[in-house]
Amino acid sequence: MSPESRPVAGFQADPEFFRLEERTEFDPGLVLEVLHGRRLGVMFRGVIPAEAQKESVARFWSSPARRHREGEPSHYIGSYHWNKSTGTYLAETARITVDVREVLDVPGSPWHSFRSGLAAELARHGAVLRIAEHEGAEACPALVRAWDKEGSFALEPHEDEAQCADPRQAGFEIQGVRDHEVCAVNMCVENEAGGRLVIWNIRPDDESRRRLGIEHTGFSYPADALTGFDELRIEVGPGDVYVFNGAYVHAVDASTGNRTNLSFLMGFIDDRTVVSWT
């Protein structure tokens, strides 16, 4: 059996944990439970105002800062910390933040409303939410990205924990999230067809990552190596906001037409501080 086809090893959650709660109103208390590892995730259906969706999409597609990325996603504005040194990531962020903010700062902005609601909930518990920092520089506030890709997946199976151990980012405070939970936040503003969220009930261990050659990237996990694990396939529509534990292998399945969202990662780095980055 090849390394790519051997099942991934790691932690599997109990069936009662392995589900996404659904709500039709934003509840930051549920987001805090995801951050604390008390639930897998939560889906807030239709909570982004229609006009905010429309304006976000218009600004994204008309932005001169929009770039094409080989592989997935196909179009984006922002900077990825993935597979880079801290210096490279923050330098890219400094060049692009104004353009990212132009898309985020729409009337009824889901990015602002989510963060203000979560910040208020954290404040009740003596904690704060802020953008991650390093030597006076801030991380990117969000990625704005769109998929339109044929095949089994628009975004291949991956997880977000491995990348927080990249030795090229030693000293960057996001590495403290490994002692807590890394959470993915996604805000869907455009979805023409398909593009479901897929989550497998497996948090890979370091041995599996090393065997697959993805110890510090978490990207990507062969589909054969995920066979046999329970999975969720969750429909996502315009206006939905969802938060989940990104240490579990997840993907976006095939989509027809554009699936555009605003996203960032976040997690506790100590008992009183939640930071976000991209």
Side-chain angles (χ1 to χ4, degrees):
M1 182 179 292
S2 69
E4 290 76 18
S5 59
R6 284 172 51 194
V8 174
F11 173 79
Q12 296 181 65
D14 294 334
E16 57 268 28
F17 177 89
F18 189 65
R19 58 188 293 270
L20 256 65
E21 192 79 20
E22 293 204 11
R23 293 289 190 273
T24 55
E25 294 183 354
F26 179 58
D27 182 348
L30 294 177
V31 177
L32 187 55
E33 291 190 10
V34 180
L35 281 162
H36 281 304
R38 297 172 188 152
R39 66 173 64 241
L40 175 66
V42 59
M43 169 74 76
F44 301 109
R45 296 288 188 188
V47 295
I48 305 174
E51 284 303 312
Q53 295 176 47
K54 181 179 179 180
E55 183 62 21
S56 298
V57 171
R59 293 189 187 190
F60 172 69
W61 288 108
S62 65
S63 174
R66 179 170 51 84
R67 297 289 180 265
H68 180 267
R69 189 185 193 204
E70 293 299 326
E72 53 274 335
S74 55
H75 295 272
Y76 74 101
I77 303 171
S79 177
Y80 294 79
H81 90 108
W82 182 83
N83 205 22
K84 295 172 184 169
S85 69
T86 305
T88 297
Y89 169 59
L90 294 176
E92 290 178 356
T93 294
R95 292 192 294 268
I96 201 68
T97 293
V98 170
D99 300 285
V100 174
R101 293 277 187 182
E102 174 63 22
V103 180
L104 300 180
D105 293 343
V106 299
S109 166
W111 186 87
H112 286 288
S113 60
F114 178 94
R115 294 181 72 94
S116 62
L118 179 57
E121 179 67 19
L122 287 166
R124 294 179 54 245
H125 300 274
V128 299
L129 169 67
R130 61 172 173 79
I131 294 174
E133 301 171 351
H134 184 73
E135 296 181 350
E138 283 192 344
C140 194
L143 280 168
V144 190
R145 50 189 176 170
W147 296 272
D148 180 4
K149 182 173 176 288
E150 297 179 353
S152 299
F153 298 103
L155 180 59
E156 298 293 328
H158 66 285
E159 43 88 8
D160 301 322
E161 188 173 54
Q163 60 194 271
C164 294
D166 192 325
R168 291 170 295 178
Q169 297 180 8
F172 192 9
E173 63 182 354
I174 68 170
Q175 296 203 335
V177 172
R178 290 178 296 158
D179 296 325
H180 304 271
E181 305 291 342
V182 56
C183 298
V185 181
N186 288 267
M187 305 170 182
C188 183
V189 293
E190 180 182 29
N191 195 23
E192 296 183 7
R196 292 175 298 178
L197 170 67
V198 187
I199 307 178
W200 287 266
N201 188 6
I202 183 67
R203 293 182 65 153
D205 59 18
D206 284 339
E207 190 282 328
S208 294
R209 292 167 177 151
R210 284 192 291 269
R211 170 165 51 87
L212 293 168
I214 56 174
E215 186 177 6
H216 297 133
T217 64
F219 187 93
S220 59
Y221 286 85
D224 288 350
L226 300 170
T227 302
F229 293 111
D230 289 340
E231 63 180 60
L232 303 172
R233 290 187 180 253
I234 301 165
E235 299 289 343
V236 179
D240 293 346
V241 173
Y242 53 101
V243 184
F244 63 93
N245 192 317
Y248 290 80
V249 178
H250 56 281
V252 175
D253 73 4
S255 60
T256 302
N258 292 310
R259 181 186 187 278
T260 305
N261 72 6
L262 322 176
S263 66
F264 56 87
L265 299 171
M266 66 177 182
F268 278 97
I269 56 171
D270 58 43
D271 292 341
R272 296 183 179 275
T273 311
V274 175
V275 300
S276 69
W277 71 100
T278 52

